[in-house]
Amino acid sequence: MKKLLFDRIDEPGLNTLDVYERRGGYQSLRTALGMSREDVLSQLMDSGIRGRGGAGFQMGRKVSFLPQGDMAKYLVCNADESEPGTFKDRELMQKSPHMLVEGIVIAAYAGGISRSFIYIRGEYQLQADILEAAIAEAADAGYIGEDILGSGLSMSLVLHRGAGAYICGEETGLLDSLEGKRGNPRLKPPFPAIEGLYAGPTLINNVETLATVPHIIRMGGAEYAKIGTETSTGTKLVSISGDVKRPGNYEIELGIPSREIVYGLAGGPPSGRDVKFWFPGGSSSPVLTKDDLDLPYDFDSLAKAGSMLGSGAIIIADESRRVLDTALKLAKFYAHESCGKCVPCREGTNWTHKMLQRITTGEATPMDLDIMASVQTQIIGNCLCVLGDAMAMPIGSMVVKFRAELESEIEAARARSGGADVEDVVALGVADEHAGPLPVH
Amino acid sequence: MPRPERKTIQLTIDGREVQAAEGAMLVDAAKQGDIEIPYFCYEPKLGQPVGACRMCLVEVEGIPKLQTSCSTPVKDGMVVHTQTDRVRAAQNAIVEFLLVNHPLDCPVCDKGGECPLQDISFGWGLGRSRMIEPKRHFQKPLALSPLVAIDRERCILCYRCVRFSQEIAEDYQLIFAERGADTFVGTHDGHPYVAPFSGNIIELCPVGALTSQPYRFRARPWDIEDGAGICTLCPSQCNVTFTVRDERVLRVLARDHEGVDDGWLCDKGRFAYQAIHVDERITRPLVRDGGELREVSWERAIDAAAGLARHQGRVGTLVGGQASNEEGFLLGRLAREGLASADIDSRAGGAHGWAGPVSADLARALAAPELQASVPDIEFAHTVLLLGCDPRDDAPILDLRIRKGVRRHGVKLAIASARPTALEANATLSVRYAPGDDGRFAAALARALDGADDVGEEIAALASLLRDGGEDVVILYGERLGAGAAALLRIADGLGIAGRDGAGLIGLPGGANGRGLREAGAVPDAGPGYTTLATAGRSTAQIGAAAAAGEITALHLFGTDPVRDQPDRALWERALHSVALVVAHAAVLTEGLAEHATVIFPAESHAEKEGTVVHPDGRLQRLRIAIAHPGEVRPSWAVLAEIARRCGLDTGVTRAHDAFAQLVAAVPAYAGLTLEEIGGRGVRWPERAQAASISGGDVTLVGVPAGEPAPSAQNGSLRLGTYRPIWAAPECEVSPALKFLIPQQQLELSPEDAQRLGIAHGSEVIVSSNGHRLTATAAVRTGVPAGSAFLADGLAAESANALTESLVEVVKV
Amino acid sequence: MSTGAGRISVPRFAHGSRVPGWDDAVDLTKDPAVVPDPATTPVPADLRREIEAAMARYPDRHSAAIPALHAAQAVHGYCSPTAITQVAAIMRLTPAYLTSVASFYDMLELEPRPRHDDVYICTNISCSLLGADELFDAMVAAAAGDNTVHVSSFECLGACDIAPMASVNGEYVGPLVPDDAQRILDDLRAGTPVLPEKQLRYRRCVDATEESETEDRT
């Protein structure tokens, strides 16, 4: 398959304007500026491209939600790539920063936007430096700034470095952070397209999504839509890591069998063992097993299987891995990254982490698995943003799919620690759902 | 911005048809249908909902996920369910999550019995928890400030307190630190949360995490009664509820009144109740005997006070700002009818460069109903102008109202003052003038609005902001404007304010009931209802001078100590020393009274008093008795009636109500009012038909006195301005909890002058003029114009009224 | 009211984190922390310039909070009360605003620490599957006693392709083995580039046709 984003990605100097232009860079911008805003927007709509950041919302529709008018509108590129397992934007920004800049200018034109920001996670220092240099080059060349290429379009672009907080990858948390506040997610509605950055209409898109825009304009939206499946168009950068021979980023056509990515591209587990479980779309996606490897890798197929494509980050764990270890890492991560604003996420992630720790110390009973599963359902759908769900869904899936293993972990740990009998814990009154209002604190 | 119009829509909640204002939040609309939805973080007073606690989740038909009803505006035809299994499961879940880390120490928690978390756990929780892990434990309780204790174990991170600090008071001292389950409420680097409105966070806290240091463990909800009242410690006249146990006020809570206080209180109003029950309180009559004040019987004290009758025609009466309308009215009758002395005033004299007191004609013109703005008008105006006042000190709760208008409704704030105000950061335009130039500035602004082009750039810019920024202009002006307020009539005329809904003037008097006392006739040149008197008496400053000169031989001081409250301390010390008789009514002994009073009657506190007061926006409000009079304190109306009787005047007042009835009969604009009508919410008389009895008259007839221009600073001297800090009050001095706030004198000066004079921030300086001097700490403050300097008055020591000239010398100690 | 003296120790759940501030009362002898007056708050000229330049980049000056705190941290070593007060004076904010922001983010430090070099070891899922916990232990052991190196475990740094990995003063290196811990320290002490052959910046994009790069370490 022909690569779009990663075509000759390692060409030396591609991060400079020179090489990028020599390869036809910024031609799409010229094309777009020769078209009307509406035409650019309809190309984006026709492409059917869905957001590459996690939620998978159609980009063209997002742009179309922006109100018309003279008010200050903003574009924010979400480069706060912090979903565990995801590292595609990093490589893209480091090696082809101008592709992103070009995409941003075109998208801003389509949305009638004059101020743009790239919010990059603070840890990506190398990539931020490269982007800053690229922005300066693009500004010098007249691709950014006043009256771009004589089109009358003006747009500024500021790179904003974050300071280490997963929640700032959530679009409204990112907006608060960019406004200089704690990165707490906001209530929705109002959605950012109506009231976002500085209370103005705001288009927020992932790096990969925006970097694809020049290709859509070059190919034409309809042509782009021919790649992939009907509802998952285009190519996708997939980050694959964990127990595989060749971890890294691959550009794939959406809809190919997952097995082809895991085994065909990444080579499968180096040990030769079978895959035990895998996250198809970052650590927030419910885990799948080896039985699911033949699922087509696209938004809808994975959703139908009870998981999601998310950010397109596959993490593979082979048969030698313990589910409990990964569950603990996961719960610890989300408890650490919960912003603390809403109750179910703040308390639920923390409680779940404590319950998992009790399993390892031999203080849990199988009944705790029921409580854990129930706590996850109490989190899902009740939170302010999706972070709570992002822990509850994979943990919930692990309890369901690997219950027997977790039960034997419990028994083994109890045996190791010489812990109390199950009956002792039940006697505390924890187990009996029908014991009446007996506060057990 | 003008108030948005709201139409009424209909929705269905749990099968019931409910009417609500369009755009209202579902949780509020549900109340209309008698449906209770539990919540913690929602509090409409705090502005936009945050949706943090997730307690109020409900099912809305057509939306797949449960919605937070605190953030869902109602729409016509909406169908909502609050009782389904799904909703109940979510509510149970949230309660369980909240209790994951909340300690169940209710038996020893100060909030017990009035705790939303207790109530909601009982009503919407499962009554059990599956959490067996140890809870978080913190040291508790800890000091957050001398007034507020914090118990972080109990905190459910509902955001209320931090939102108050950040978005209502805008002091931004209280914050969330850290993240996730580690989040805690705190301050920067261990600094205490000390700000004028900090106590509101106690009332906002839905658990026992923030408690009042003075109230902690003083009572349980079942021990206490509530008494509705009005705080008369400043002109804001906030509506309060006194928490009473065994005839003692133990706490003051806000009694939300959108038209007055918006549900907030300042810390003076909230904590100075302690002054009611302190040893310093005067609870028995005192008479000077052999040079010492001694406690005596009422008979003996009344006998002594009746000595006023021997000074017919030579009695000066000063009425303190906390006096009620009825007291002011009776004092006027006593002075004029009983003592043949028209020398009565309730207004402070002005400091340096003052334009003189407001005349009766001007007062009447300014009180014209068509010129009156209401408090809510501040919030919805296009432009608010502060002229010669700083609401934080002069009427604190209005400071919050202005912030709300600017933040939520896009009000443009213009400030014209000598001293930088607490609202500078919120202002669209801010203009400084020299101390004492208030009246001249107003006159220049009036001329600019009339089209004069020689007023300078700043005033021209201000004029164009007022003229072109939208029709609804509200002007708040301070008493220091004095007779210079005449220019307001021209300004109002130029802006077309008269008769316009949403526009108008609000005068901030120096005394809490300054407006009511004027309307009751406690001024030298007007009787009740701004009626012109044939012969005018002396104003405050003139009374002082006449007393010092021997022309006035007796003083009747009702709730005021001129040595503390008036400019020119030395003059008043001479005056009090010169007169033969000083009859005072006071709750605490201040320095002038301690030294000079002949008779002191114990005065009532605002929790003990019956009567009415008038808010600066014309709202008559009712004081009611919340606690019995302590010690031998008697109602002041009765004391005044008795003194009058002994001076030969039968007032006919034998009940509190009699004085009110006489007042209503005497003030045409109050005609027909009853106490029942005033009730618990008050009545704005400018909105009554009878208000037409006061008309503005021809404003062009009222000249604009320029006053004497203040001399400009020269030879290293500085122009002195004064201000009265919110905490400069005897009530704060004797309230144990507030003692830490008592201001020490500091000289505010500009960085330029500090550098020129070689004065470092925080160093001791001596400020002197004309042989008078005081010691102060230098406070270098950006925003103070070069050439100006400011000192606080109303202090017990080193108060600005020790200085009499407008130019002062400053030297390092 | 406990103000610090004679305090008893409180048992707490051993989840390994002890949050500074939880158990602290305020110091009642301090004045409230209001917006610092620029006239009485000296700020180093370079820092002032940097913060003012950051403020100028955004339509709302508040947006400069994180860049300004980064800059102040670089000058003062951490977001000390002095650093925060200086930023507050220039940005016309209360110090509390900035403390609240700084404490939210992992890369801004509110606690003093002797430091020169930062080593963040990713211990999230992919890295830990491939031995990050052992790497972290090795790094801590190697740096023990060296108070110029600040080692901390970090959540996913976005480089799972070189798992297990570390970010050494912002330079990503991996895949690492426990023995690399000492080499990192050696390079830091020598002032030479850290593990140049393992730096991510030189790494080519993965190619499915190449031979396996990852050995089987399980």
Side-chain angles (χ1 to χ4, degrees):
Chain A
M1 189 214 67
K2 182 160 167 44
K3 289 176 182 172
L4 300 176
L5 298 167
F6 268 19
D7 178 29
R8 291 168 288 151
I9 189 77
D10 280 315
E11 181 172 348
L14 179 58
N15 60 322
T16 63
L17 184 61
D18 245 17
V19 177
Y20 184 69
E21 278 182 330
R22 180 146 36 82
R23 277 178 45 170
Y26 289 107
Q27 284 307 322
S28 293
L29 174 61
R30 291 174 197 278
T31 311
L33 292 177
M35 298 157 62
S36 70
R37 267 172 219 282
E38 293 71 28
D39 286 349
V40 176
L41 177 56
S42 60
Q43 293 299 321
L44 294 177
M45 297 282 261
D46 291 349
S47 76
I49 185 173
R50 294 171 66 166
R52 293 340 192 187
F57 196 83
Q58 273 201 30
M59 186 211 175
R61 288 186 63 200
K62 246 190 200 181
V63 180
S64 72
F65 288 157
L66 294 171
Q68 305 290 317
D70 290 339
M71 72 282 271
K73 286 181 259 189
Y74 303 94
L75 182 151
V76 179
C77 168
N78 185 346
D80 189 73
E81 184 174 57
S82 17
E83 175 76 7
T86 316
F87 45 88
K88 61 192 176 64
D89 297 339
R90 185 207 74 212
E91 189 149 33
L92 190 62
M93 290 186 287
Q94 179 183 331
K95 295 179 176 171
S96 191
H98 283 285
M99 195 189 297
L100 174 60
V101 172
E102 185 178 5
I104 287 172
V105 185
I106 297 171
Y109 176 60
I113 293 165
S114 60
R115 290 195 96 128
S116 299
F117 297 88
I118 300 175
Y119 185 106
I120 188 167
R121 62 180 299 189
E123 293 88 346
Y124 281 175
Q125 294 179 28
L126 170 67
Q127 293 74 20
D129 292 345
I130 289 171
L131 264 176
E132 229 157 38
I135 291 170
E137 277 186 312
D140 283 347
Y143 297 125
I144 299 172
E146 301 291 312
D147 192 16
I148 295 169
L149 301 177
S151 65
L153 170 72
S154 295
M155 193 207 75
S156 67
L157 177 57
V158 170
L159 181 83
H160 182 91
R161 299 174 196 232
Y166 169 76
I167 191 61
C168 295
E170 197 280 340
E171 59 180 7
T172 58
L174 183 151
L175 291 178
D176 261 27
S177 181
L178 182 49
E179 288 180 7
K181 304 173 187 158
R182 295 159 65 83
N184 290 319
R186 303 174 180 176
L187 270 176
K188 286 189 275 193
F191 290 92
I194 307 300
E195 201 180 311
L197 189 64
Y198 309 125
T202 303
L203 175 69
I204 307 180
N205 273 120
N206 175 258
V207 170
E208 183 188 346
T209 319
L210 288 165
T212 307
V213 168
H215 300 284
I216 293 171
I217 298 300
R218 178 171 52 77
M219 300 165 69
E223 196 61 27
Y224 180 85
K226 288 181 184 160
I227 311 172
T229 71
E230 195 176 331
T231 53
S232 300
T233 60
T235 66
K236 175 85 188 81
L237 297 181
V238 176
S239 303
I240 183 163
S241 64
D243 291 323
V244 289
K245 284 187 184 131
R246 288 183 295 273
N249 288 313
Y250 296 92
E251 185 168 9
I252 58 134
E253 180 171 357
L254 282 167
I256 66 171
S258 305
R259 185 181 297 278
E260 198 178 317
I261 307 170
V262 177
Y263 282 93
L265 296 172
S271 56
R273 294 189 192 96
D274 258 355
V275 171
K276 180 172 175 179
F277 60 91
W278 57 294
F279 295 88
S283 67
S284 307
S285 54
V287 294
L288 297 173
T289 64
K290 66 176 181 196
D291 302 336
D292 303 306
L293 278 170
D294 289 317
L295 281 171
Y297 197 76
D298 63 55
F299 288 100
D300 296 343
S301 304
L302 291 168
K304 213 180 291 169
S307 190
M308 60 187 197
L309 186 132
S311 59
I314 297 175
I315 306 171
I316 302 289
D318 74 24
E319 278 181 327
S320 66
R321 309 298 181 183
R322 296 162 69 207
V323 166
L324 180 60
D325 287 345
T326 301
L328 250 175
K329 286 279 174 196
L330 202 68
K332 173 174 162 285
F333 171 71
Y334 286 104
H336 179 253
E337 297 297 345
S338 167
C339 79
K341 183 171 181 177
C342 81
V343 172
C345 172
R346 178 180 76 232
E347 303 295 347
T349 53
N350 202 36
W351 186 9
T352 301
H353 183 220
K354 287 177 178 177
M355 281 191 279
L356 285 162
Q357 280 184 318
R358 272 200 295 119
I359 295 182
T360 64
T361 55
E363 293 168 87
T365 72
M367 188 188 65
D368 283 306
L369 294 176
D370 295 330
I371 298 176
M372 203 179 327
S374 155
V375 166
Q376 307 316 309
T377 57
Q378 291 191 168
I379 295 172
I380 294 171
N382 288 342
C383 299
L384 183 72
C385 79
V386 294
L387 190 141
D389 294 20
M391 178 203 72
M393 291 191 303
I395 296 277
S397 73
M398 287 174 176
V399 175
V400 170
K401 291 183 181 171
F402 296 96
R403 176 152 188 135
E405 181 183 330
L406 291 170
E407 282 185 6
S408 59
E409 292 270 11
I410 288 170
E411 293 309 326
R414 294 174 66 77
R416 276 199 306 277
S417 69
D421 288 338
V422 173
E423 287 68 29
D424 293 344
V425 180
V426 174
L428 285 170
V430 196
D432 190 352
E433 294 257 343
H434 307 289
L438 174 70
V440 190
H441 281 277
Chain B
M1 297 300 114
R3 296 166 180 76
E5 283 192 23
R6 285 277 167 82
K7 64 175 188 186
T8 301
I9 54 100
Q10 185 159 313
L11 69 161
T12 309
I13 308 179
D14 296 340
R16 279 185 231 181
E17 302 284 303
V18 177
Q19 310 265 331
E22 187 176 34
M25 292 305 164
L26 190 44
V27 69
D28 290 328
K31 289 174 191 161
Q32 309 287 321
D34 246 355
I35 293 160
E36 189 178 359
I37 300 175
Y39 56 81
F40 294 101
C41 66
Y42 180 62
E43 169 53 72
K45 288 195 289 188
L46 292 171
Q48 288 297 308
V50 288
C53 76
R54 317 303 291 172
M55 192 64 229
C56 67
L57 289 167
V58 295
E59 220 173 312
V60 180
E61 285 190 7
I63 305 179
K65 281 179 78 171
L66 297 181
Q67 297 294 304
T68 44
S69 52
C70 71
S71 66
T72 306
V74 294
K75 293 196 189 95
D76 202 30
M78 201 178 225
V79 181
V80 182
H81 304 283
T82 74
Q83 305 285 333
T84 60
D85 288 348
R86 246 180 104 200
V87 173
R88 215 166 281 134
Q91 289 167 337
N92 292 162
I94 302 301
V95 170
E96 185 175 31
F97 283 136
L98 280 169
L99 296 179
V100 159
N101 274 312
H102 185 86
L104 294 191
D105 60 351
C106 306
V108 294
C109 176
D110 210 42
K111 195 79 172 182
E114 50 183 19
C115 173
L117 182 57
Q118 273 185 334
D119 297 345
I120 290 174
S121 296
F122 183 76
W124 286 272
L126 272 184
R128 61 169 180 76
S129 169
R130 300 169 295 174
M131 153 103 176
I132 59 169
E133 285 78 6
K135 297 185 181 219
R136 287 182 307 189
H137 287 296
F138 301 139
Q139 292 282 353
K140 57 190 269 183
L142 300 163
L144 185 64
S145 80
L147 297 170
V148 185
I150 186 166
D151 182 324
R152 295 197 171 105
E153 279 182 9
R154 294 179 188 150
C155 176
I156 59 168
L157 300 174
C158 71
Y159 274 74
R160 285 181 173 213
C161 58
V162 292
R163 284 164 70 203
F164 176 81
S165 168
Q166 298 170 7
E167 295 170 31
I168 304 297
E170 297 183 339
D171 55 61
Y172 224 119
Q173 291 184 36
L174 200 64
I175 50 163
F176 276 157
E178 299 297 331
R179 189 171 77 196
D182 292 347
T183 311
F184 65 93
V185 172
T187 58
H188 167 69
D189 190 36
H191 289 262
Y193 178 38
V194 177
F197 307 99
S198 68
N200 288 296
I201 63 173
I202 300 166
E203 220 174 309
L204 285 168
C205 184
V207 295
L210 297 168
T211 48
S212 158
Q213 302 256 34
Y215 181 67
R216 281 173 72 82
F217 307 128
R218 299 297 194 286
R220 284 295 200 186
W222 47 87
D223 298 327
I224 58 177
E225 303 171 280
D226 284 346
I230 306 290
C231 173
T232 59
L233 296 178
C234 88
S236 306
Q237 295 183 6
C238 297
N239 290 198
V240 297
T241 301
F242 297 106
T243 295
V244 178
R245 180 183 189 182
D246 300 337
E247 301 300 340
R248 288 173 71 89
V249 176
L250 292 187
R251 179 172 67 173
V252 173
L253 299 175
R255 185 164 58 86
D256 294 20
H257 193 326
E258 194 262 345
V260 178
D261 48 49
D262 218 13
W264 309 119
L265 293 180
C266 74
D267 287 359
K268 180 160 72 169
R270 185 178 297 277
F271 296 107
Y273 69 85
Q274 288 189 320
I276 297 171
H277 306 290
V278 290
D279 292 345
E280 291 93 328
R281 173 97 188 260
I282 301 169
T283 54
R284 296 181 65 186
L286 303 171
V287 166
R288 193 168 298 275
D289 182 4
E292 299 248 331
L293 286 167
R294 293 182 200 283
E295 291 192 346
V296 297
S297 67
W298 273 95
E299 288 71 24
R300 177 135 180 243
I302 296 274
D303 278 348
L308 286 172
R310 291 194 295 276
H311 298 268
Q312 288 279 337
R314 284 171 293 135
V315 179
T317 304
L318 296 188
V319 187
Q322 290 202 51
S324 69
N325 301 335
E326 291 75 8
E327 289 160 352
F329 177 76
L330 284 175
L331 283 159
R333 287 197 64 194
L334 169 61
R336 294 186 183 110
E337 298 171 38
L339 302 169
S341 299
D343 301 332
I344 175 172
D345 207 346
S346 55
R347 303 162 303 180
H352 334 290
W354 192 46
V358 171
S359 69
D361 284 343
L362 178 54
R364 186 169 49 249
L366 287 168
E370 61 270 23
L371 282 179
Q372 307 305 299
S374 70
V375 170
D377 288 341
I378 295 172
E379 195 184 310
F380 295 100
H382 289 109
T383 313
V384 170
L385 170 66
L386 303 182
L387 188 51
C389 61
D390 183 349
R392 187 189 56 189
D393 290 332
D394 300 339
I397 227 65
L398 297 184
D399 174 279
L400 297 186
R401 202 55 172 257
I402 294 166
R403 290 175 194 277
K404 183 184 181 188
V406 172
R407 176 178 282 267
R408 294 196 215 161
H409 305 298
V411 170
K412 288 183 290 298
L413 175 66
I415 303 174
S417 65
R419 179 175 177 256
T421 69
L423 285 157
E424 296 302 316
N426 305 66
T428 304
L429 181 66
S430 195
V431 183
R432 292 284 94 81
Y433 49 77
D437 269 353
D438 308 80
R440 277 174 295 283
F441 181 88
L445 179 59
R447 291 205 305 114
L449 287 167
D450 281 350
D453 54 5
D454 60 345
V455 290
E457 259 176 52
E458 282 189 320
I459 294 179
L462 177 59
S464 84
L465 175 66
L466 295 174
R467 201 190 305 109
D468 309 327
E471 302 85 352
D472 292 349
V473 178
V474 173
I475 301 175
L476 276 77
Y477 62 98
E479 186 161 312
R480 65 185 74 239
L481 225 62
L488 286 168
L489 299 173
R490 298 251 299 274
I491 293 170
D493 194 40
L495 294 170
I497 282 174
R500 196 182 160 76
D501 271 354
L505 311 176
I506 299 181
L508 301 181
N513 188 33
R515 176 161 187 162
L517 292 171
R518 266 158 239 183
E519 293 178 356
V523 283
D525 54 354
Y530 301 105
T531 47
T532 310
L533 293 176
T535 45
R538 293 181 174 96
S539 69
T540 300
Q542 292 164 336
I543 291 171
E551 294 160 25
I552 281 177
T553 54
L555 286 169
H556 192 187
L557 307 176
F558 191 91
T560 179
D561 178 350
V563 169
R564 171 76 71 94
D565 297 338
Q566 298 297 333
D568 201 346
R569 186 184 188 102
L571 168 75
W572 280 100
E573 275 173 352
R574 282 203 309 283
L576 285 167
H577 184 74
S578 305
V579 296
L581 177 65
V582 179
V583 177
H585 306 249
V588 292
L589 211 51
T590 45
E591 51 279 12
L593 302 184
E595 186 81 7
H596 301 288
T598 321
V599 189
I600 301 179
F601 293 105
E604 297 165 286
S605 74
H606 55 298
E608 295 148 15
K609 203 183 270 193
E610 232 178 325
T612 58
V613 289
V614 184
H615 187 279
D617 83 347
R619 182 180 298 275
L620 274 136
Q621 305 205 87
R622 190 173 169 189
L623 302 173
R624 310 191 73 155
I625 297 173
I627 53 168
H629 291 86
E632 293 184 18
V633 179
R634 292 185 184 175
S636 293
W637 61 264
V639 177
L640 292 173
E642 181 62 12
I643 296 172
R645 195 180 64 79
R646 297 285 296 273
C647 292
L649 170 68
D650 180 4
T651 55
V653 173
T654 55
R655 299 167 303 165
H657 183 87
D658 295 335
F660 174 75
Q662 290 184 9
L663 173 74
V664 165
V667 178
Y670 298 175
L673 258 181
T674 63
L675 286 171
E676 288 65 37
E677 195 181 339
I678 296 172
R681 313 297 286 168
V683 170
R684 277 193 77 223
W685 70 255
E687 291 171 5
R688 302 176 82 230
Q690 291 84 345
S693 61
I694 290 184
S695 82
D698 188 349
V699 299
T700 55
L701 293 180
V702 184
V704 180
E708 223 171 279
S712 53
Q714 49 191 325
N715 300 334
S717 61
L718 296 172
R719 286 263 296 258
L720 179 64
T722 62
Y723 65 100
R724 178 162 303 201
I726 169 173
W727 310 116
E731 289 84 359
C732 299
E733 283 163 29
V734 297
S735 294
L738 294 177
K739 281 196 167 131
F740 78 104
L741 289 166
I742 301 309
Q744 302 298 307
Q745 185 59 276
Q746 57 176 25
L747 178 79
E748 292 181 356
L749 74 172
S750 67
E752 296 86 343
D753 289 325
Q755 196 178 21
R756 184 170 54 82
L757 298 167
I759 291 170
H761 180 74
S763 61
E764 285 253 298
V765 293
I766 290 174
V767 190
S768 59
S769 76
N770 199 21
H772 300 284
R773 54 192 270 161
L774 57 78
T775 316
T777 308
V780 181
R781 189 176 170 196
T782 303
V784 171
S788 296
F790 297 92
L791 287 171
D793 65 21
L795 308 185
E798 308 294 338
S799 193
N801 68 352
L803 304 175
T804 53
E805 305 292 321
S806 52
L807 285 182
V808 294
E809 309 290 331
V810 181
V811 292
K812 278 188 289 189
V813 171
Chain C
M1 188 64 31
S2 170
T3 51
R7 201 189 272 179
I8 53 157
S9 80
V10 172
R12 62 177 70 250
F13 181 63
H15 56 51
S17 70
R18 187 190 166 90
V19 179
W22 272 2
D23 292 333
D24 296 344
V26 297
D27 179 350
L28 293 177
T29 64
K30 288 185 178 176
D31 285 329
V34 296
V35 179
D37 194 314
T40 52
T41 314
V43 184
D46 287 349
L47 182 58
R48 172 185 297 278
R49 261 195 303 280
E50 196 168 342
I51 295 171
E52 283 172 351
M55 284 161 68
R57 279 202 294 274
Y58 303 93
D60 179 334
R61 71 180 197 282
H62 292 81
S63 284
I66 290 175
L69 287 166
H70 269 308
Q73 177 162 286
V75 171
H76 293 271
Y78 73 106
C79 292
S80 64
T82 310
I84 284 192
T85 305
Q86 292 178 353
V87 177
I90 297 171
M91 293 191 68
R92 305 190 300 285
L93 298 168
T94 62
Y97 178 100
L98 295 160
T99 299
S100 179
V101 169
S103 68
F104 188 88
Y105 297 98
D106 292 341
M107 295 174 72
L108 298 169
E109 301 279 346
L110 280 161
E111 290 298 303
R113 40 171 203 165
R115 63 158 211 164
H116 186 251
D117 297 302
D118 275 320
V119 180
Y120 299 156
I121 310 262
C122 171
T123 52
N124 208 287
I125 298 173
S126 293
C127 284
S128 69
L129 283 173
L130 301 178
D133 295 320
E134 295 76 14
L135 173 68
F136 176 67
D137 292 342
M139 195 71 227
V140 170
D146 182 345
N147 64 7
T148 65
V149 178
H150 175 75
V151 180
S152 61
S153 76
F154 224 78
E155 298 300 358
C156 186
L157 286 158
C160 320
D161 43 350
I162 54 167
M165 56 79 63
S167 165
V168 182
N169 292 331
E171 189 73 55
Y172 280 23
V173 287
L176 302 177
V177 292
D179 286 347
D180 287 329
Q182 190 56 48
R183 295 179 52 211
I184 289 173
L185 285 181
D186 293 343
D187 287 341
L188 284 175
R189 284 174 189 145
T192 54
V194 176
L195 301 183
E197 78 284 3
K198 292 198 177 191
Q199 287 191 2
L200 180 78
R201 66 166 73 218
Y202 305 119
R203 192 180 167 89
R204 290 177 60 84
C205 188
V206 66
D207 187 339
T209 60
E210 280 173 16
E211 281 305 292
S212 162
E213 299 180 17
T214 315
E215 306 156 38
D216 181 8
R217 280 194 292 280
T218 51

